[in-house]
Amino acid sequence: MQRCSRFAILLAATRSIDVPQRQKVLVLYLTDSSLDSSVIAWAQYDGTGATEHMAGDMAEPPYTTGLAALRDGWRLLQMAPLQPHAPGAEFTTSYLKYEFLFEQLVDLDA
């Protein structure tokens, strides 16, 4: 039985290698460093070519939180490092600092 399950794992791994894949990228900017905080800005990129996104093409974010994206199958690749504000700059408007980068690998249809 154990030999059979090893074979099944090996077979599944070789099938995924043979199927061409493309990457979809989702960038979410959250209100703070917690994945369950609200999305305030976002960007999407589709390497499959199935959809084209551009800034401002959606009124609502694709997910309400980063955690919702994880639960929908997106893989978290990168979180912004936590850095303290410079003294005196605590309330200065600047870049959005809580950036989370997600990906999905999508099999291309043959």
Side-chain angles (χ1 to χ4, degrees):
M1 189 70 172
Q2 188 176 21
R3 188 179 297 179
C4 183
S5 63
R6 285 184 186 162
F7 177 73
I9 291 170
L10 180 61
L11 182 61
T14 57
R15 283 186 185 156
S16 65
I17 292 171
D18 293 339
V19 176
Q21 294 182 323
R22 294 295 182 269
Q23 184 182 39
K24 293 172 88 175
V25 176
L26 175 65
V27 184
L28 298 179
Y29 297 92
L30 307 181
T31 55
D32 59 43
S33 63
S34 175
L35 272 173
D36 59 357
S37 62
S38 299
V39 174
I40 56 173
W42 64 94
Q44 296 182 71
Y45 304 95
D46 187 351
T48 67
T51 57
E52 298 268 340
H53 295 284
M54 53 190 283
D57 66 351
M58 293 171 50
E60 296 294 322
Y63 298 97
T64 55
T65 65
L67 189 58
L70 281 177
R71 288 179 177 153
D72 196 34
W74 289 88
R75 297 181 347 174
L76 180 62
L77 293 179
Q78 181 178 339
M79 301 169 67
L82 295 179
Q83 299 176 346
H85 295 283
E90 294 88 350
F91 301 106
T92 302
T93 303
S94 183
Y95 65 95
L96 300 173
K97 60 188 279 187
Y98 303 113
E99 178 183 78
F100 294 80
L101 181 64
F102 298 86
E103 77 163 353
Q104 275 186 342
L105 294 177
V106 179
D107 292 342
L108 292 181
D109 295 329

